Amino acid sequence: MHVRGAVHRPGDSGWDDARRAWNLSVDQHPELVVEPVDAGDVAATLRFAAGAGLRVAVQGTGHGAAARGGDLAGALLLRTSAMRGVTIDAQRRTARAEAGSLWLEVAQAAAPHGLVALHGSAPDVGVVGYTLGGGLGWLARRHGLACSHVSAIEVVLPDGRRVRTTATDEPRLFWALRGGGGSFGVVTAIEFALFAVEEVTAGALMWPIERAPAVLRRWRDLCPQLPRDITTVGRILRFPPLDEVPAPVRGRAMVLVEVASLLGEEETEAHLAPLRELGPELDTVATGDPSVLLHLHGDPEGPVPGIGAGQVLADLPDGGIDAITSRLGAGADTALVGLELRQLGGALATPTEGAGALGAIPGAFAAYAIGVPGGGVGAEWISAELDAVMGALSAWSTGRPYLNFAEAPVRPEQAFGRTAVGTLWEIADAVDPGRVLMPSHDVRR
Ligand SMILES: Cc1cc2nc3c(=O)[nH]c(=O)nc-3n(C[C@H](O)[C@H](O)[C@H](O)COP(=O)(O)OP(=O)(O)OC[C@H]3O[C@@H](n4cnc5c(N)ncnc54)[C@H](O)[C@@H]3O)c2cc1C
C-alpha cells in the first residue's frame, strides 16, 4: 500500500496502541490499522481495501466504538487521528477542521476571536464523529444540533473519489452526512459555524444523594420554565475515590444540576432560585469565560473503559424519577457510576430550515447511564443494571433513540423514521454499493 501515514499489522511493535479505542471496553481486532495523513492517503487506503477484499471501519478517537464492537475480522481500521488542523475564519465566523480534530482544538483556536463552537461535554471527542451523529451540546437549546450548522463536508467515497459536499454541491450526500452518520464515505474535513459568546454563567449545584428524589422533582418542574438560553442537566453521579476528584465530593454519591447559561449572572440566578431554595451543599455556578463549558460535565479526558446506554424521554413523571432513584439513589447497590438527563427543547424541538438527516431531537430529556467495569464490577452486572433502568424508563421513551448516545446497534428506522431511512438507504447504496464501510451505526442495518 502506498500511503504516507503509518500502517500497523498484528505483531508489529505498537500494534496494541494502534488498535486501541478511546473506550477501553471495546477490544478491537482489525486485520490492519492505517493512519492516513491526508485525503490522498485516505483514497489510497480505500483502493487498497477494495483490492484486498477488506471492509473499512473509520475511527477518529473511538469514543463511539461500542456500537460497532471490537470484532473487525476482515476489516481494516482507518484511523484519522493523524489528520489534525483547525482553521478559523473569524470574519465569516466559521471553522474548518480536519478529520482527526478534537473539540478542544477547535475551542482553543476559536477562543482568541471571541467565538465558540457547538461542542458537547467532552474536550477529546472527535469533531467529525460527533457531528455526523448530530451533536448535542450546551448551546443546543439555543442553536440546535451541531450538524445543522455545517456548511461543507469533504469526503472520500468508497471508490476513492473525492467530493466536497455543500447545500448546492452533492446536496443529497450533504443532507445524509448531517446526522446520518458514517455510512457514506470517509470525511476528511468539515466546515461549520461558530458563535460569538463573550461570557457564560455555568457550573453545578450539588446535594448529597439522599436529596435526589426532591432535587430531581424540583429540577424537572423548573425545566419547562427555563428560556432556551439556559440548558441544564440533572444527574446522579458516584464520584470515584481518586486524588484528582475535588476533596468535597471524592468517593461520594451526589445529585447534581449542571447549568450553562448565555444570560448574565443576575438573570440566570433568578431562574435558578427554585433550586437554590433546596440548599445545595456545593455550588460552582459562576460567570466567566466560555471555555469552562468543555470541562463543566467533568468527562474523563483520555481513554477509559465504559459501558453505557441511552434513550430519549418524552416526559419524566414522578414514576420515572422513582425508577431512577430506586436503582441509583441512596442505599442502592448499583454497578452504575451515574445517570444523566440532558434537558432538550428549545431549538432542538423542531428541525432548522435546510437541516440534514437529523434536524431535531423531539422530547424532554436525553437520558444516558454508564458503568465502569473493574474493581469487582463486571460487564455483565453493568449491562443488567443498564437494561433494568433503561427498561423502567422506556415507559416514557419517545421511541426515537439519539445515535450518539446509543452504544448498541439500533434499527435505523427507529432513529430516523421510515421516510428518512429510505432516502438514507438509497444514498448509501449509491455511494457504497459493496458495503465497504462499517460505521458505528449503519443506516442499512
Ligand atoms: C465521554 C463522552 C462524552 C460525550 N459527549 C457527547 C455530547 O456532549 N454530545 C453528543 O452529541 N455526543 C456525545 N458523545 C457521543 C459522541 O459524540 C459519539 O460517541 C461520537 O460518535 C464520537 O465521535 P468520535 O469521532 O470521537 O468517535 P469515533 O468512535 O472515532 O467515531 C464514531 C463513528 O463516527 C464515524 N466517523 C468518525 N470519523 C469519521 C470520518 N472521518 N468519516 C466517516 N465516519 C466517521 C464512524 O462511523 C465511527 O464509528 C460523548 C461520548 C463520550 C464517550
Side-chain angles (χ1 to χ4, degrees), residues 148-193:
S148 299
H149 294 278
V150 171
S151 47
I153 304 179
E154 297 163 35
V155 200
V156 182
L157 300 179
D159 65 6
R161 243 180 336 130
R162 288 162 65 169
V163 293
R164 180 181 153 87
T165 70
T166 66
T168 48
D169 297 332
E170 302 279 354
R172 268 165 67 85
L173 188 52
F174 184 60
W175 172 84
L177 286 162
R178 289 176 299 140
S183 296
F184 311 96
V186 182
V187 172
T188 54
I190 184 162
E191 276 177 30
F192 49 90

Side-chain angles (χ1 to χ4, degrees), residues 10-50:
D12 287 356
S13 69
W15 171 245
D16 286 337
D17 287 338
R19 69 182 181 85
R20 186 172 295 132
W22 183 93
N23 185 341
L24 299 176
S25 293
V26 187
D27 188 16
Q28 304 185 122
H29 289 280
E31 308 289 339
L32 189 73
V33 179
V34 184
E35 296 178 272
V37 294
D38 57 20
D41 260 10
V42 170
T45 306
L46 286 165
R47 281 193 295 270
F48 168 82

Side-chain angles (χ1 to χ4, degrees), residues 3 29 126 135 157 216 244 249 255 264 291 298 313 331 350 367 373 438 445:
V3 291
H29 289 280
L157 300 179
L216 291 178
E244 54 265 38
V249 292
V255 56
S291 63
L313 305 179
T350 42
M438 290 178 76
R445 189 175 295 283

Side-chain angles (χ1 to χ4, degrees), residues 59-64 68 120-121 126 130 136 185 187 342 402 404 440:
Q59 190 158 83
T61 66
H63 277 80
R68 180 173 50 218
S121 59
Y130 169 93
L136 174 63
V187 172
R342 296 198 184 193
Y402 172 49
N404 272 2
S440 283

Side-chain angles (χ1 to χ4, degrees), residues 282-381:
L282 291 160
D283 181 344
T284 66
V285 178
T287 301
D289 193 280
S291 63
V292 298
L293 293 182
L294 261 181
H295 306 280
L296 169 57
H297 204 56
D299 278 335
E301 298 176 31
V304 288
I307 302 173
Q311 68 183 309
V312 179
L313 305 179
D315 192 11
L316 186 67
D318 286 354
I321 292 176
D322 293 344
I324 293 169
T325 53
S326 64
R327 286 172 177 81
L328 282 99
D333 180 24
T334 179
L336 303 181
V337 170
L339 181 145
E340 63 187 73
L341 298 152
R342 296 198 184 193
Q343 185 187 355
L344 302 176
L348 287 165
T350 42
T352 342
E353 210 190 313
L358 186 74
I361 309 182
F365 302 104
Y368 180 81
I370 188 161
V372 177
V377 177
E380 278 178 20
W381 186 19

Side-chain angles (χ1 to χ4, degrees), residues 123-140:
D124 60 352
V125 159
V127 173
V128 171
Y130 169 93
T131 309
L132 294 183
L136 174 63
W138 289 111
L139 307 185

